[in-house]
Amino acid sequence: MNKIIFLALLFVSSNLFSQVENLDIKNLIVVCQLDKTEDRFTLEVNLSEILADCGIKTMASLNAQKQGTNVGYLGMDSIQLDLKNKGFDTYVLVSIRGYDTKFKRSTIFNDMRTELATGHLFPLYRDEISSISLEFYFYRNGQNVGYDLLKLGGISSREDVIKKLRKKLPKRIYKYWS
């Protein structure tokens, strides 16, 4: 009985720690789940540029839907089919986990429609913070295929967040995402 439990724990832990390995991302729709439109625009544009510089075909969700629509519409079958016809089959949902460096990796992975409907409260930058944690949920065919948590420290402004992201994310992309 102990061997069965040990093997089950080994399987589960290897699954949790390998959430971003072997994603083999060739194309990506970037969806930032932020309440403020200017934060969403800033983050989606910068992430799209970083990914394009790493050789990944990208599109910001702002270019995939009409202006002012809710990101939840990206979960509709007709929009996903249209994007698939354009050569996009992978989505990354990006959100702010919080402003503490002690956040642990998520263990709950919803389908894409559920995650798109989830509300997110944190803006890109808040006064008197020194770190921020970003969550990346990867989806293909509406199902979660990967997860990553990126912590950025030593920030004192909104521009610092973007600067640190541009420095740290490409290394992570080459190591884990592609």
Side-chain angles (χ1 to χ4, degrees), residues 31-102:
V31 183
C32 292
Q33 297 180 282
L34 300 168
D35 287 336
K36 290 184 177 180
T37 307
E38 62 270 9
D39 286 349
R40 183 175 169 212
F41 176 78
T42 300
L43 197 55
E44 281 191 14
V45 168
N46 280 285
L47 286 172
S48 295
E49 288 176 3
I50 294 167
L51 290 161
D53 290 344
C54 293
I56 298 172
K57 178 182 172 183
T58 63
M59 177 190 287
S61 72
L62 296 168
N63 295 335
Q65 60 186 9
K66 294 180 182 176
Q67 186 176 1
T69 58
N70 187 343
V71 293
Y73 288 113
L74 290 172
M76 293 174 52
D77 293 335
S78 60
I79 293 177
Q80 287 185 11
L81 182 62
D82 184 43
L83 291 172
K84 194 169 192 172
N85 290 336
K86 291 179 181 178
F88 293 98
D89 65 351
T90 308
Y91 297 76
V92 61
L93 306 184
V94 183
S95 61
I96 308 295
R97 176 77 182 245
Y99 305 112
D100 192 358
T101 59
K102 298 177 185 176

Side-chain angles (χ1 to χ4, degrees), residues 105-131:
R105 301 175 65 80
S106 181
T107 56
I108 300 170
F109 303 106
N110 298 316
D111 63 10
M112 192 166 112
R113 286 186 180 162
T114 305
E115 193 61 37
L116 283 170
T118 304
H120 296 277
L121 304 172
F122 299 113
L124 187 59
Y125 178 75
R126 186 181 291 171
D127 289 336
E128 300 178 13
I129 62 166
S130 61
S131 67

Side-chain angles (χ1 to χ4, degrees), residues 106-160:
S106 181
T107 56
I108 300 170
F109 303 106
N110 298 316
D111 63 10
M112 192 166 112
R113 286 186 180 162
T114 305
E115 193 61 37
L116 283 170
T118 304
H120 296 277
L121 304 172
F122 299 113
L124 187 59
Y125 178 75
R126 186 181 291 171
D127 289 336
E128 300 178 13
I129 62 166
S130 61
S131 67
I132 190 170
S133 298
L134 299 167
E135 284 185 310
F136 298 87
Y137 290 93
F138 297 91
Y139 290 91
R140 282 193 188 115
N141 300 322
Q143 298 302 313
N144 184 279
V145 294
Y147 171 83
D148 199 6
L149 181 66
L150 179 65
K151 298 173 186 179
L152 304 173
I155 57 173
S156 60
S157 69
R158 190 171 187 258
E159 291 75 26
D160 282 349

